[in-house]
Amino acid sequence: MNEWTMHAWQGTPEAAAAALRTLGWFGPDEAPAALPDPRIGGFLPAAGTAMRSFDGVAYVGVAANAAIEAPPGLSPAGPELFRALLGSF
């Protein structure tokens, strides 16, 4: 059994989308990633769905079974705010 950790980040919608794409996420009307990162168990927003932003800030997350540094352009998001805005797995 794997231990999953939620990594919650915030940043501009463009930086968030670019960062998630490097891990295997894809947006609406995009083809799925050919080789998603094997450390990732899921995304918020879910792969294939639109990213949401609030006042120009996107909040995104990944459930991973390994440590992942915040990608360039993103910073850690407070867990309470993240859960309030996007929920959890």
Side-chain angles (χ1 to χ4, degrees), residues 7 18 20 24 26 46 56 64 66 68 70 75 81 86:
H7 299 275
L20 290 186
F26 56 95
I68 297 178
S75 60
L81 177 60
L86 297 182

Side-chain angles (χ1 to χ4, degrees), residues 1 5-6 10-11 15 17-18 23 25 28-29 31 37 39 53 57-59 66 71 73 77 88-89:
M1 184 172 187
T5 301
M6 176 60 77
Q10 64 186 32
L23 299 171
W25 178 86
D29 302 321
D37 189 311
R39 302 172 294 175
S53 63
V57 178
Y59 295 87
S88 183
F89 287 105

Side-chain angles (χ1 to χ4, degrees), residues 11-80:
T12 66
E14 297 80 16
L20 290 186
R21 282 186 184 101
T22 67
L23 299 171
W25 178 86
F26 56 95
D29 302 321
E30 296 178 357
L35 296 172
D37 189 311
R39 302 172 294 175
I40 306 303
F43 297 96
L44 283 175
T49 64
M51 190 165 298
R52 296 185 299 184
S53 63
F54 303 91
D55 293 329
V57 178
Y59 295 87
V60 297
V62 297
N65 61 10
I68 297 178
E69 295 292 323
L74 300 182
S75 60
E80 294 83 15

